[in-house]
Amino acid sequence: MEVILARSAGFCFGVARAVRMAEELAASGRRAKMLGHIIHNDYEIARLAGLGLAVISSPQEAEEGDCVLLRAHGESRAAHEALASRGTQVVDATCPKVARVQQIVREAEAEGRHPVMIGDPRHPEVLGVKGWCSGLEVFSGPAEVLSWAQTLANSTDLPIAVVAQTTLRREIWESSLKILKKQCTNLKIFDTICNATHTRQSEAALLAAKVDAMVVVGDPKSANTKHLTEICRLHCSRVFQIECADELPWKGLSDSAVVGLTAGASTPASIIKEV
Ligand code: F3S
């Protein structure tokens, strides 16, 4: 069986940076904690916990003097403030590209624009961004955008600023924008889809189109892994999403001469190598 590995598979810049910050914090000897999962990969979180970084699920669990690491997907303003009020030292691993989205919605609202985000309303990144302004509208795609835009019939000139979840699929962004451009006359567009996401998605599509089967490696909670799987399914009839080598679907792959392999942006290199 020939295996072709996508060049972009694995850690993106933001995840690599968060993991490096976690390792440095663990090595510093300070009392260190991670607020939630700093990246979407249970194996990596378990490895970091093994280095001494305890996981807490809310700022209220932090104690005075703790060093608290914030996840790559970012946290809300309320979480930052709650940690500061508890006398903790914050080590912010928010990916700079996510921090930019937080800044855009904050500034847009201050300028009197209505902030709109296209993305998954339950995803931690979106929830974090929501916490940096007071009235963020979140739509998962064109159908929701359309029904909202239709309610603006008498206020099509409402000033709007639209941003994307950094891992959004480009087609969803483009089709949502098409509707907004048609219905809204005062629209400011911020294309905040991350290049790392875009590169992974286009490479996965090209690879999926030329192999017999595709394997996508990543945590089931990872949005970008899920999107890679969806994109591969548009180009290849046999696509398997797995978390680690133990889940390799031998039966499904048995008559595949060429298998493509890609991985989400939070999948560690060691797991990809094992697969
Ligand atoms: Fe940042 Fe893009 Fe990764 S937003 S966390 S570099 S997918």
Side-chain angles (χ1 to χ4, degrees):
M1 185 185 289
E2 185 190 348
V3 178
I4 305 177
L5 174 65
R7 265 189 310 166
S8 58
F11 279 5
C12 61
F13 151 78
V15 168
R17 176 176 173 272
V19 169
R20 200 176 52 242
M21 287 169 86
E23 288 169 344
E24 284 168 5
L25 189 55
S28 72
R30 287 182 283 175
R31 202 170 66 220
K33 292 175 178 167
M34 299 182 271
L35 179 55
H37 286 187
I38 60 152
I39 65 165
H40 271 159
N41 190 279
D42 286 349
Y43 292 98
E44 193 62 7
I45 295 299
R47 186 183 74 82
L48 295 173
L51 297 180
L53 285 163
V55 182
I56 54 170
S57 53
S58 79
Q60 286 65 38
E61 290 173 40
E63 291 163 26
E64 195 175 345
D66 282 348
C67 241
V68 181
L69 186 70
L70 302 188
R71 65 190 173 196
H73 284 313
E75 287 287 350
S76 65
R77 193 200 320 238
H80 282 259
E81 287 171 357
L83 287 168
S85 73
R86 299 183 73 79
T88 64
Q89 193 193 330
V90 168
V91 179
D92 192 355
T94 305
C95 174
K97 295 181 181 189
V98 175
R100 181 174 163 254
V101 186
Q102 296 173 343
Q103 187 186 351
I104 290 171
V105 297
R106 197 175 65 229
E107 291 178 355
E109 203 168 61
E111 280 169 20
R113 288 197 169 264
H114 196 73
V116 169
M117 185 169 195
I118 313 297
D120 176 353
R122 291 151 309 172
H123 191 276
E125 176 192 328
V126 177
L127 294 172
V129 170
K130 208 170 185 174
W132 285 93
C133 58
S134 58
L136 184 72
E137 301 274 3
V138 182
F139 305 114
S140 59
E144 288 181 16
V145 171
L146 182 61
S147 50
W148 177 73
Q150 282 168 343
T151 65
L152 301 176
N154 296 323
S155 49
T156 48
D157 59 345
L158 178 75
I160 293 170
V162 59
V163 295
Q165 183 178 345
T166 56
T167 50
L168 187 70
R169 277 171 53 190
R170 189 153 282 286
E171 319 84 87
I172 297 180
W173 172 244
E174 302 290 357
S175 44
S176 301
L177 280 190
K178 218 171 171 181
I179 295 165
L180 285 174
K181 282 182 189 166
K182 222 187 244 171
Q183 311 269 343
C184 309
T185 57
N186 191 352
L187 184 65
K188 229 173 163 180
I189 299 167
F190 297 88
D191 181 347
T192 49
I193 296 180
C194 168
N195 279 346
T197 305
H198 185 55
T199 308
R200 267 168 191 71
Q201 293 181 352
S202 356
E203 274 188 20
L206 287 174
L207 186 55
K210 64 176 188 190
V211 295
D212 302 313
M214 267 308 283
V215 174
V216 183
V217 191
D219 193 290
K221 294 185 290 306
S222 156
N224 73 83
T225 304
K226 189 180 121 209
H227 292 158
L228 284 176
T229 304
E230 290 165 359
I231 287 165
C232 290
R233 289 204 169 119
L234 299 174
H235 301 276
C236 176
S237 57
R238 246 181 294 171
V239 179
F240 304 96
Q241 184 181 319
I242 60 172
E243 209 175 344
C244 62
D246 292 345
E247 294 178 7
L248 269 166
W250 294 116
K251 238 181 170 174
L253 292 173
S254 61
D255 56 351
S256 302
V258 186
V259 177
L261 178 60
T262 189
S266 45
T267 309
S270 56
I271 293 184
I272 302 172
K273 204 169 166 193
E274 200 182 358
V275 170

